[in-house]
Amino acid sequence: MMSSRAKYHLGQVVRHRKHSFRGVVFDVDAMFSNTEEWYAAIPEDVRPSKDQPFYHLLAENDQSFYVAYVSEQNLVADYSGEPVQHPDLDDLFGPFEDGSYPLHFQLN
């Protein structure tokens, strides 16, 4: 069994390397855990390896808010100091402080 360690943590603000969106990490899968249909829809020449952490993000771009599922290789930490405006943030996190969002609830 492969052991992975996530580079980014819950509540951290990150950016996509290639696409213009950013978001807040709200869950992490140690390795790919989405559908094969989702994976096959990614063009083969840019399809990430499944053997790495994948992050669930409350994401935003200039047009909308959404949930994104992104491989670790396609993310970078966002050090802009700018908060994310996603409307669902308040359901999971406290106020933006020191570049990230503290969890609102206790994890199991």
Side-chain angles (χ1 to χ4, degrees), residues 2-6 28-33 39 47-55 69-75:
M2 183 175 165
S3 176
S4 283
R5 184 176 188 108
V28 182
D29 294 333
M31 54 193 301
F32 180 79
S33 186
Y39 190 73
R47 195 175 294 155
S49 166
K50 291 181 178 181
D51 296 332
Q52 64 180 307
F54 276 73
Y55 297 82
Y69 190 64
V70 185
S71 64
E72 186 169 273
Q73 76 185 54
N74 284 317
L75 292 174

Side-chain angles (χ1 to χ4, degrees), residues 36-108:
E36 286 304 315
E37 292 80 14
W38 183 92
Y39 190 73
I42 301 169
E44 193 171 346
D45 61 328
V46 295
R47 195 175 294 155
S49 166
K50 291 181 178 181
D51 296 332
Q52 64 180 307
F54 276 73
Y55 297 82
H56 300 261
L57 307 177
L58 294 177
E60 67 181 19
N61 61 28
D62 292 339
Q63 292 84 35
S64 64
F65 301 108
Y66 51 96
V67 172
Y69 190 64
V70 185
S71 64
E72 186 169 273
Q73 76 185 54
N74 284 317
L75 292 174
V76 294
D78 181 308
Y79 297 113
S80 68
E82 296 293 320
V84 173
Q85 303 301 320
H86 197 288
D88 295 336
L89 278 170
D90 291 344
D91 294 341
L92 300 173
F93 299 100
F96 185 68
E97 57 186 48
D98 298 326
S100 66
Y101 291 86
L103 285 171
H104 246 335
F105 56 91
Q106 184 69 25
L107 298 173
N108 291 333

